[in-house]
Amino acid sequence: MTDAQLAQRAKGTVRAFNEAGVLVAADVHVATRLCMLGGESSEVVMLAAALAVRAVRSGSVCLDLRRIRDVIVDDTDAEDLARLPWPQTSTVVTALRSSPLVIGGTAGPLRPLRLVDTDEGELLYLDRYFRQEQTIRRVLEERASSYPTIDGELVRNRLAAIFAASADSTVGPDRQRVGAALAVTHWTTVIAGGPGTGKTHTVARVLALFASILGPGVRIGLAAPTGKAAARLQESVRGQDGIEGLPTDLSAMTLHRLLGWQRGSSSRFTYNATNRLPYDVVVVDETSMVSLTMMARLLEAVRPDTRVLLVGDPDQLMSVDAGAVLADLMARPVVSAGNPTFFDLVDADLVDGQSPEAFSLDERKRLHGGIVQLSRGRRFDGAIALLARAVREGDEDEALRILRSGDPAVSFHGPDEVEELRADIVNTSAAVTGYAERADAVGALEAMEAHRLLCAHRGGPSGVSWWAGRAIEWVGTASGKFLDPSDWYAGQPLLVTANDYEAKIYNGDTGVIVARPDGTRVAAFQRGRAALLVHPSQLSSVQTVYAMTIHRSQGSQYGTVSVVLPAEGSSLLTRELLYTAITRARSHVRILGTEQSVRAGVQRQVLRASGLRREIALYDGPVNPSSS
């Protein structure tokens, strides 16, 4: 714990947790301030408030009081954490039930904490996040209370026409067709699936279907959490060939742009609960990366008669901010009886069968709630698919067996066994540089996709900074050139770190410096089958990238992926992180780490606490508890 992370005025129990690294200074300062303003003197309540702040900082929406001790602190032994003066859950709950921070008090109406009872135990919220979660819950329940009116025969014929090319009764039900039927018969639809299961393929056909039944003037909003994801969504949808009726002028944007971000405005967004979005259809890609706050803002801004289509992979890494909304929506209990019109459209797809694609009883129940999981992977199969499945299902022994199987699609190396990694980095760089020096921007960009080095951390011996330095040293030695990242050299790989809408480059974009026949240099970025060329002077936020964090790689694909795992004690090493890294590869996954780090990664699942998947009752006080 550094001096900057210590709260100098922290006392008692809170100070012990601060010194142990469980709490940082900001957690303590917020809790201390809340207690002071609310007239609360209990150390137990102050600790609970600080842990609630920590929970949000760690990605949870609230603090699950049953799991109050389930914390991981890098470089801190579990036994040391266990020796901290943890209060009993019952003691915390009792203190909170009488706390003015929860029920109000003589100091004023301030009630910054919300205590919620559920059938699985109590949850403690900061008020802001409780309200946002309630907004999502309310809007979804209102949207699920009715169904769109459609011409069933017209939709049936259009579904048959749009999905005729992919119809194959020998492999079981067409889940993409089922997803399209859900989207047209429900106000809110979730289409989930791993890489290569055809999510974008399905979205394009859904949009063609909407254009047919709602008319050519249908207003469609395509959005994603990041500029890179939005650009990729636009390219993918426009690149779907041969779909009759698919609008050709579709554009995608970030969620911030969709909602109309206003700097300095108290409302923050142009479109909100009182000024609704003008679209008939809103599609959000990469929904796993959407935070609770952004999802609340989106749902309150859509009209009740707007179809909302949420698309993503719930097993991937979640938003860097609080919330795991997509995973929560997938796990919410379904109470709806379902739309009879939908079941009439897909009755043949739901017939019991032995196909791997057949819907399980649980999946059928989720269909009632407008949720479908695509499962037939088309991007990779074999050992990579089996490894991803083992990690997703938490089977550490199977994951290690596959890594050690000798299959050419996977390999497992110790932290210092870098010969093959070095060869891939050097060879990829040589290929990229060759194209770049010949002014072939598209060739250079395609060559960059052959290999990518991914790390969990930014710093440290297993982090991006250290490995990027090592990689540039290898490349420079092999080429006989001194590579100065501050200079623009042909073949220099780039990573954009901030959106620049004027230049049309986005946070997360990767590119390469390419020579031109006149001796000048330009930065090239992939745009569909072409390259966007930008003068380096326009690149305000960019860095050289020979290694990348796994978070940054989300949504991208590479031929070979090399993954550097941190030590097993790293709190970043999780099942979702490992799954995301593995599923970036098309043909080969190389893991560098120890058996202990692989086991830790498979075992440790991100458990972001929230109330979205539970039935809740808000505790307002000892006399008048009321339902939310």
Side-chain angles (χ1 to χ4, degrees):
M1 175 64 66
T2 65
D3 290 342
Q5 294 172 309
L6 285 172
Q8 299 303 317
R9 289 186 290 179
K11 299 178 181 178
T13 304
V14 169
R15 183 170 186 82
F17 280 81
N18 184 201
E19 291 175 342
V22 174
L23 301 173
V24 299
D27 304 332
V28 177
H29 290 319
V30 171
T32 302
R33 182 67 173 169
L34 292 179
C35 288
M36 183 184 69
L37 292 175
E40 175 60 81
S41 59
S42 167
E43 283 195 11
V44 171
V45 172
M46 183 180 292
L47 175 63
L51 289 172
V53 176
R54 180 193 190 276
V56 170
R57 180 170 55 81
S58 302
S60 289
V61 175
C62 56
L63 175 65
D64 187 339
L65 295 176
R66 296 174 311 156
R67 297 172 45 233
I68 195 170
R69 298 183 181 217
D70 292 353
V71 299
I72 300 172
V73 179
D74 289 351
D75 302 322
T76 301
D77 188 90
E79 293 182 359
D80 291 336
L81 293 176
R83 283 193 287 268
L84 288 170
W86 295 98
Q88 294 295 321
T89 298
S90 58
T91 302
V92 177
V93 172
T94 299
L96 287 169
R97 289 194 187 282
S98 61
S99 172
L101 300 187
V102 172
I103 63 174
T106 57
L110 178 71
R111 293 172 55 201
L113 301 182
R114 295 298 185 106
L115 182 62
V116 166
D117 295 322
T118 80
D119 55 351
E120 299 178 23
E122 294 83 5
L123 304 175
L124 181 65
Y125 289 80
L126 300 179
D127 180 69
R128 170 189 173 186
Y129 294 95
F130 174 78
R131 292 178 182 276
Q132 289 173 357
E133 189 177 275
Q134 288 298 88
T135 294
I136 294 174
R137 182 188 296 271
R138 173 183 54 79
V139 173
L140 289 177
E141 289 176 352
E142 290 173 353
R143 293 176 63 82
S145 65
S146 66
Y147 302 108
T149 301
I150 64 168
D151 183 333
E153 194 60 31
L154 171 63
V155 172
R156 188 186 307 278
N157 292 336
R158 290 301 297 143
L159 282 171
I162 291 172
F163 288 91
S166 60
D168 184 355
S169 60
T170 64
V171 296
D174 187 342
R175 288 176 176 246
Q176 296 182 6
R177 179 178 174 277
V178 171
L182 273 179
V184 79
T185 56
H186 292 72
W187 296 120
T188 309
T189 304
V190 176
I191 296 181
T197 52
K199 296 188 294 294
T200 305
H201 179 93
T202 305
V203 166
R205 280 151 182 78
V206 168
L207 297 180
L209 182 61
F210 279 132
S212 297
I213 66 174
L214 299 179
V218 60
R219 294 164 295 182
I220 298 172
L222 300 180
T226 66
K228 178 184 177 182
R232 187 172 57 252
L233 172 63
Q234 177 177 305
E235 292 163 11
S236 298
V237 171
R238 288 185 177 182
Q240 298 288 321
D241 299 324
I243 305 178
E244 181 184 352
L246 177 66
T248 58
D249 58 347
L250 292 171
S251 298
M253 64 193 85
T254 65
L255 282 168
H256 279 80
R257 293 197 78 189
L258 180 84
L259 292 171
W261 172 266
Q262 291 185 327
R263 294 184 183 277
S265 169
S266 59
S267 64
R268 298 183 60 187
F269 293 110
T270 300
Y271 297 104
N272 48 52
T274 58
N275 182 35
R276 303 297 180 93
L277 286 162
Y279 302 105
D280 304 305
V281 180
V282 171
V283 178
V284 180
D285 197 18
E286 299 289 359
T287 307
S288 65
M289 295 193 293
V290 178
S291 69
L292 178 89
T293 299
M294 184 55 70
M295 185 60 73
R297 296 291 174 261
L298 171 68
L299 290 179
E300 69 182 2
V302 295
R303 302 195 319 259
D305 61 346
T306 295
R307 260 81 160 205
V308 174
L309 187 58
L310 305 176
V311 184
D313 183 352
D315 296 310
Q316 284 195 71
L317 287 167
M318 304 162 193
S319 165
V320 294
D321 296 318
V325 179
L326 182 61
D328 284 340
L329 295 184
M330 295 289 293
R332 286 188 82 200
V334 176
V335 296
S336 170
N339 186 351
T341 304
F342 162 73
F343 290 102
D344 288 343
L345 290 172
V346 300
D347 183 62
D349 288 304
L350 301 183
V351 175
D352 288 338
Q354 301 302 313
S355 163
E357 289 293 298
F359 287 93
S360 67
L361 291 177
D362 181 63
E363 288 179 318
R364 291 184 187 211
K365 183 179 292 186
R366 283 192 283 176
L367 289 175
H368 289 247
I371 298 169
V372 65
Q373 178 98 27
L374 306 183
S375 58
R376 192 186 310 158
R378 295 165 173 82
R379 185 171 296 166
F380 53 70
D381 53 18
I384 296 178
L386 293 173
L387 179 60
R389 182 185 306 162
V391 171
R392 187 178 66 235
E393 295 176 353
D395 192 337
E396 60 196 86
D397 291 331
E398 176 65 5
L400 284 165
R401 186 197 67 77
I402 295 169
L403 285 172
R404 290 167 169 159
S405 66
D407 190 291
V410 298
S411 58
F412 185 35
H413 304 263
D416 299 321
E417 297 171 355
V418 298
E419 293 78 9
E420 293 181 14
L421 169 62
R422 177 172 183 162
D424 269 344
I425 289 175
V426 169
N427 292 339
T428 299
S429 179
V432 171
T433 301
Y435 284 111
E437 290 177 341
R438 295 192 297 272
D440 185 347
V442 172
L445 289 166
E446 291 178 349
M448 279 184 64
E449 304 302 301
H451 176 263
R452 178 66 72 200
L453 173 58
L454 301 178
C455 305
H457 291 265
R458 287 189 175 88
S462 60
V464 166
S465 298
W466 193 89
W467 281 95
R470 201 170 183 186
I472 199 171
E473 180 182 329
W474 289 340
V475 171
T477 300
S479 64
K481 301 175 182 177
F482 173 71
L483 303 179
D484 183 359
S486 65
D487 194 12
W488 305 116
Y489 58 88
Q492 181 178 358
L494 304 174
L495 172 68
V496 177
T497 57
N499 291 329
D500 187 336
Y501 296 110
E502 188 172 332
K504 297 182 179 179
I505 57 176
Y506 308 105
N507 186 10
D509 269 347
T510 53
V512 61
I513 295 295
V514 177
R516 305 187 77 176
D518 61 3
T520 59
R521 300 280 191 269
V522 292
F525 298 92
Q526 192 82 45
R527 292 295 181 265
R529 298 181 179 89
L532 170 68
L533 302 180
V534 179
H535 193 277
S537 64
Q538 294 181 261
L539 303 176
S540 57
S541 299
V542 69
Q543 62 189 39
T544 301
V545 57
Y546 283 97
M548 179 186 291
T549 63
I550 297 170
H551 274 85
R552 284 277 191 186
S553 74
Q554 279 190 267
S556 300
Q557 289 288 307
Y558 310 97
T560 295
V561 166
S562 297
V563 186
V564 177
L565 297 183
E568 63 269 22
S570 169
S571 58
L572 289 181
L573 184 56
T574 64
R575 184 180 303 174
E576 290 78 6
L577 185 94
L578 195 51
Y579 171 85
T580 300
I582 290 166
T583 54
R584 299 312 92 206
R586 292 191 184 95
S587 58
H588 186 84
V589 173
R590 176 185 296 118
I591 302 292
L592 285 83
T594 64
E595 175 179 330
Q596 291 78 13
S597 60
V598 172
R599 289 188 181 277
V602 176
Q603 290 172 354
R604 187 180 296 129
Q605 189 173 14
V606 175
L607 297 174
R608 292 192 170 185
S610 85
L612 269 182
R613 59 181 74 187
R614 307 184 194 181
E615 293 298 324
I616 70 172
L618 175 64
Y619 182 78
D620 278 323
V623 177
N624 182 33
S626 63
S627 171
S628 63

